[in-house]
């Protein structure tokens, strides 16, 4: 379109304009040197200007008509030439090159976003260990919901850290200076559930020698965390719903309602929707809890977080201990059905077995972890919206190994490159590629 417009301007307009202007100048110059008398009541100068203008316009019009007649076949030829294969191929190559440039820019912006998100996650949630994309996605949602009073439902497999995330939601809320009360619904006998949650009056039942506040009262003004809510008896669920809707409840053996103001966070590793179909969980309570659901990712879909978690646990259980590269590779290849809890217990055991050694070796790991390399690889199951391709998995593992080496070497890239068996420049390029900050792994 641009080329066609350029042809129209340069040939169809510019040439007639130049010809008309030259003709006008010629007539005006001729008039200036000739001695003419009065003609039709006009002075010599007036006659000269009028003649020049009229001649210029006439020449311009004639040139425009001739130009269109001459340029029409040229335009038709250019239009046909656009569809010729020999001219079309360079255009397609230019489009492909332009597309490649756009893809490169997209990757650059994605890399910058990745770095910024990692820095934000470290700054906002230092208590949560990990830099994986899956974990950052959850933390981004936590940052949005925490300042509100919305009910949060934490779901995910056992051992993914639901209690830690519940504490994090409370710590970043407007109620952070108020009580945080946690209740493990699976650990309370059904007969004592109502008394535990709503309290009881003195003499309400055998053994009730004094009045007692329930968990709702204790958490008033703060956050109440109901862990393993899928194990709550169905008869108690109706009372929970009514208490949440009304903001009050009666103690066992009492006749006066006790008011409270709590922000509720619930958690379960069960599928509540399946339980609703089996009449094991109330649908109305589910909708009351499922205001802001958060699905915590299992450890097997974020293997790049394993080196950071391993270092964190070893610092707790065996200060000064490091982990060998071979052992770390085994940890990253294992599927971790027990998630972070299983990893924590594994490293606590390894720290004990390492004893006076300064390094946790592969032989200090449990047999099920060591046998991973001898059996078929345990590919991670991806419950998320899309499965990762091989390149993404390899990048995550490579990033995890780089982080582990930097942690082991106190952030010194030269030593980390030696451990990884690569050149320092190669490590530098990988550090930039994955947005890793070596300085953040230096111990003070």
């Amino acid at each position: 379109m641009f080329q066609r417009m350029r042809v129209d301007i340069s040939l169809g307009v510019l040439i007639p304009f130049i010809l008309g202007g030259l003709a006008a100048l010629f007539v005006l110059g001729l008039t200036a040197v000739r001695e003419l008398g009065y003609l039709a009541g006009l002075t010599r100068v007036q006659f000269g200007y009028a003649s020049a203008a009229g001649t210029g316009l006439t020449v311009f019009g004639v040139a425009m008509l001739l130009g269109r007649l001459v340029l029409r076949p040229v335009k038709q030829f250019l239009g046909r030439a656009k569809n010729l294969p020999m001219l079309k191929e360079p255009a397609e190559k230019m489009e492909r090159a332009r597309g490649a440039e756009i893809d490169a820019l997209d990757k650059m912006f994605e890399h910058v976003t990745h770095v910024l998100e990692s820095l934000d996650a470290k700054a906002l949630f230092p208590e949560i260990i990990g830099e994986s994309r899956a974990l950052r996605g959850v933390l981004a949602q936590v940052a949005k919901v925490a300042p509100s009073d919305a009910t949060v439902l934490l779901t995910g497999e056992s051992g993914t850290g639901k209690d830690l995330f519940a504490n994090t939601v409370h710590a970043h809320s407007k109620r952070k200076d108020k009580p945080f009360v946690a209740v493990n619904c699976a650990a309370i006998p059904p007969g004592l559930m109502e008394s535990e949650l709503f309290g009881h009056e003195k003499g309400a039942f055998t053994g009730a020698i004094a009045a007692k506040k329930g968990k709702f009262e204790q958490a008033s003004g703060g956050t109440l965390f109901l862990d393993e809510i899928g194990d709550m008896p169905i008869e108690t669920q109706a009372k929970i719903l009514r208490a949440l809707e009304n903001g009050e409840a009666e103690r066992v053996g009492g006749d006066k309602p006790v008011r409270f103001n709590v922000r509720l966070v619930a958690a379960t590793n069960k599928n509540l929707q399946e339980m609703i179909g089996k009449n094991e969980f109330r649908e109305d309570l589910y909708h009351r809890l499922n205001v802001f659901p958060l699905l915590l990712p299992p450890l097997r879909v974020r293997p790049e977080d394993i080196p950071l978690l391993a270092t964190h646990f070893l610092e707790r259980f065996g200060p000064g201990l490091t982990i060998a590269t071979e052992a770390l590779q085994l940890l990253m290849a294992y599927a971790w059905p027990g998630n972070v809890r299983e990893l924590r217990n594994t490293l606590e055991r390894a720290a004990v077995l390492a004893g006076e050694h300064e390094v946790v070796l592969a032989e200090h790991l449990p047999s099920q972890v060591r046998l991973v390399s001898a059996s078929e690889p345990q590919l991670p199951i991806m419950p998320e919206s899309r499965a990762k391709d091989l390149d993404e998995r390899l990048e995550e593992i490579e990033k995890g190994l780089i982080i582990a080496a930097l942690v082991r070497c106190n952030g010194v890239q030269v030593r980390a490159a030696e451990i990884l068996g690569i050149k320092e420049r190669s490590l530098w390029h990988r550090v930039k590629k994955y947005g890793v900050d070596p300085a953040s792994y230096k111990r003070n």
Side-chain angles (χ1 to χ4, degrees):
M1 183 69 183
F2 173 76
Q3 290 178 344
R4 180 177 180 178
M5 184 171 63
R6 185 174 60 188
V7 170
D8 286 343
I9 291 175
S10 61
L11 298 180
V13 177
L14 188 60
I15 292 177
F17 181 79
I18 293 173
L19 292 176
L22 290 175
L25 290 174
F26 176 76
V27 172
L28 188 61
L30 190 64
T31 303
V33 298
R34 293 180 59 184
E35 295 291 335
L36 297 175
Y38 293 97
L39 182 62
L42 299 176
T43 65
R44 184 170 56 231
V45 177
Q46 289 173 331
F47 175 76
Y49 284 144
S51 299
T55 304
L57 291 173
T58 301
V59 174
F60 178 79
V62 172
M64 284 284 289
L65 292 175
L66 293 175
R68 288 187 178 278
L69 291 175
V70 173
L71 291 177
R72 181 176 298 172
V74 176
K75 292 178 183 178
Q76 293 175 350
F77 171 76
L78 291 175
R80 291 193 300 269
K82 287 182 180 180
N83 298 321
L84 292 176
M86 65 183 63
L87 297 179
K88 197 171 183 180
E89 184 178 355
E92 292 177 351
K93 288 183 178 179
M94 290 179 65
E95 288 297 326
R96 288 196 296 268
R98 202 173 289 119
E101 292 177 359
I102 293 173
D103 291 340
L105 286 174
D106 287 341
K107 289 181 179 179
M108 182 186 72
F109 285 124
E110 183 179 355
H111 172 69
V112 172
T113 303
H114 170 86
V115 174
L116 293 177
E117 287 177 349
S118 298
L119 294 175
D120 289 342
K122 287 181 181 179
L124 290 175
F125 309 104
E127 70 277 11
I128 296 180
I129 308 300
E131 296 181 358
S132 64
R133 188 185 299 268
L135 185 63
R136 291 199 318 272
V138 177
L139 292 178
Q141 297 181 65
V142 171
K144 292 179 181 178
V145 72
S148 71
D149 275 337
T151 301
V152 178
L153 178 61
L154 299 168
T155 59
E157 299 176 7
S158 178
T160 50
K162 291 184 283 293
D163 53 346
L164 176 61
F165 274 86
N167 273 281
T168 300
V169 170
H170 173 71
H172 292 80
S173 71
K174 295 177 290 186
R175 300 170 179 259
K176 60 184 178 181
D177 297 325
K178 301 297 182 179
F180 175 82
V181 179
V183 181
N184 189 340
C185 299
I188 302 174
L192 297 177
M193 180 68 72
E194 187 176 349
S195 171
E196 190 71 19
L197 293 175
F198 305 118
H200 61 259
E201 298 291 353
K202 180 179 179 181
F205 50 84
T206 303
I209 58 177
K212 178 185 176 182
K213 289 184 178 181
K215 299 299 184 183
F216 275 90
E217 283 185 79
Q218 296 174 27
S220 187
T223 303
L224 177 64
F225 175 44
L226 297 180
D227 195 11
E228 304 297 349
I229 198 169
D231 295 306
M232 178 180 290
I234 197 163
E235 58 270 14
T236 308
Q237 294 175 21
K239 298 177 182 178
I240 290 284
L241 177 63
R242 188 162 55 250
L244 293 174
E245 294 291 344
N246 300 331
E248 62 181 26
E250 294 180 359
R251 293 178 180 176
V252 177
D255 55 2
K256 294 181 180 180
V258 177
R259 297 198 60 80
F260 48 80
N261 175 20
V262 299
R263 195 265 181 90
L264 186 67
V265 178
T268 182
N269 61 356
K270 295 185 177 181
N271 189 325
L272 297 183
Q273 291 180 313
E274 287 184 1
M275 295 180 66
I276 291 172
K278 299 176 182 178
N279 294 321
E280 296 175 353
F281 200 86
R282 291 181 64 97
E283 185 175 6
D284 47 7
L285 178 58
Y286 170 74
H287 292 305
R288 180 63 181 81
L289 298 175
N290 197 41
V291 177
F292 198 97
L294 284 175
L295 175 62
L296 305 188
L299 188 56
R300 63 178 173 272
V301 304
R302 51 188 189 102
E304 64 269 42
D305 289 338
I306 290 177
L308 292 173
L309 289 166
T311 303
H312 171 73
F313 291 136
L314 287 179
E315 287 178 352
R316 180 190 299 181
F317 302 130
L321 279 178
T322 58
I323 184 168
T325 303
E326 182 185 359
L328 184 60
Q329 290 173 341
L330 291 174
L331 293 180
M332 295 181 70
Y334 185 57
W336 299 108
N339 294 294
V340 179
R341 183 184 293 120
E342 184 183 4
L343 176 64
R344 176 189 181 278
N345 296 337
T346 296
L347 289 169
E348 184 175 8
R349 174 182 181 273
V352 173
L353 293 176
E356 297 179 354
H357 295 279
E358 295 182 355
V359 180
V360 172
L361 304 175
E363 63 192 52
H364 299 141
L365 301 178
S367 58
Q368 68 269 21
V369 178
R370 297 199 309 272
L371 291 175
V372 168
S373 60
S375 60
E376 292 186 3
Q378 301 187 37
L379 295 178
I381 301 171
M382 300 297 295
E384 282 73 16
S385 58
R386 67 179 183 88
K388 299 178 181 178
D389 58 24
L390 179 60
D391 289 336
E392 285 182 284
R393 295 182 195 278
L394 293 175
E395 287 180 357
E396 289 176 352
I397 294 173
E398 184 179 43
K399 179 182 176 182
L401 292 174
I402 291 171
I403 291 174
L406 289 170
V407 170
R408 182 175 174 182
C409 299
N410 198 23
V412 179
Q413 296 188 59
V414 177
R415 292 175 56 196
E418 293 176 358
I419 292 176
L420 295 170
I422 59 177
K423 294 182 179 179
E424 184 182 356
R425 184 174 181 82
S426 179
L427 175 61
W428 183 84
H429 283 299
R430 287 172 167 82
V431 163
K432 294 295 182 183
K433 174 183 177 182
Y434 298 125
V436 177
D437 180 18
S440 63
Y441 302 105
K442 292 183 178 180
R443 303 188 191 96
N444 297 326

